[in-house]
Amino acid sequence: MAPSDTTTGHPPEPAPDRPGPAELSAGSAAADPAELAGRLRAVIQHLLPVLRGHSTHRELTPSRTAALATLDAHGPLRVSELAARMNIALSTTSRMVDLLDDRGWIARRTDPVDQRASLISLNDAGRALLRAVRRETTGLLAERIGRLPPDRQHLLRAALPALEELVDDAG
């Protein structure tokens, strides 16, 4: 009987094969999108906790970080627009906005188009916090990337345009 994952009770996912640079060269056959998606999801799922675990900003949860980053990229926004961009419930977003406001990371102002609504944006403290977190995670990633062999660093650099395109398609 195969061992099971203690968090799900399901058999663990097989360890992905790690092809060498020759297999990943431009001349290699097209990869199966489902296989790539599974491997990419698994890498992201394991990399994010590594980055979060080294943060000195313990009060900044992943969802709070995502809200600040969304406001940084797209703000000012109404709470409903923030909820839609983050794909979370309006009630959850409202509570999070209240918490971000209580922490002093955002500013609220009346929406000039609809005086009954508010626009939410980062304030200076929120921007500074987001910059600090990004510096920390960038530094940690840079350190780990620096330990990779040069051929792996090259492959990572070559993959970035495709990964950036995935993000552009989502937004």
Side-chain angles (χ1 to χ4, degrees):
M1 177 176 232
S4 65
D5 181 323
T6 57
T7 59
T8 66
H10 299 290
E13 292 181 38
D17 291 330
R18 295 185 181 204
E23 292 100 339
L24 295 174
S25 69
S28 62
D32 173 35
E35 181 220 348
L36 286 174
R39 290 180 65 190
L40 180 58
R41 180 205 46 78
V43 167
I44 291 168
Q45 185 177 10
H46 290 92
L47 185 58
L48 288 176
V50 168
L51 297 175
R52 283 187 220 121
H54 288 82
S55 178
T56 59
H57 305 281
R58 298 287 179 208
E59 74 282 7
L60 196 57
T61 65
S63 59
R64 294 173 193 165
T65 304
L68 294 178
T70 301
L71 289 170
D72 186 47
H74 304 287
L77 298 171
R78 288 183 176 190
V79 174
S80 60
E81 292 170 315
L82 180 60
R85 286 194 175 272
M86 294 182 64
N87 197 29
I88 58 176
L90 182 58
S91 60
T92 302
T93 308
S94 293
R95 285 190 302 275
M96 185 176 355
V97 165
D98 288 342
L99 189 140
L100 297 175
D101 193 22
D102 290 346
R103 300 275 181 159
W105 298 331
I106 62 169
R108 295 184 198 230
R109 65 178 171 87
T110 303
D111 185 343
V113 175
D114 180 353
Q115 300 293 313
R116 297 169 297 169
S118 294
L119 292 175
I120 312 301
S121 60
L122 284 183
N123 61 19
D124 291 341
R127 249 183 242 90
L129 176 63
L130 193 56
R131 274 194 311 268
V133 168
R134 286 174 172 167
R135 263 192 317 272
E136 282 179 4
T137 56
T138 299
L140 180 61
L141 277 174
E143 179 184 313
R144 286 177 170 244
I145 291 168
R147 293 191 306 237
L148 292 173
D151 60 329
R152 290 296 198 191
Q153 290 183 35
H154 175 75
L155 289 171
L156 188 55
R157 179 181 300 281
L160 284 174
L163 294 170
E164 290 163 345
E165 208 172 304
L166 290 176
V167 172
D168 290 344
D169 286 349

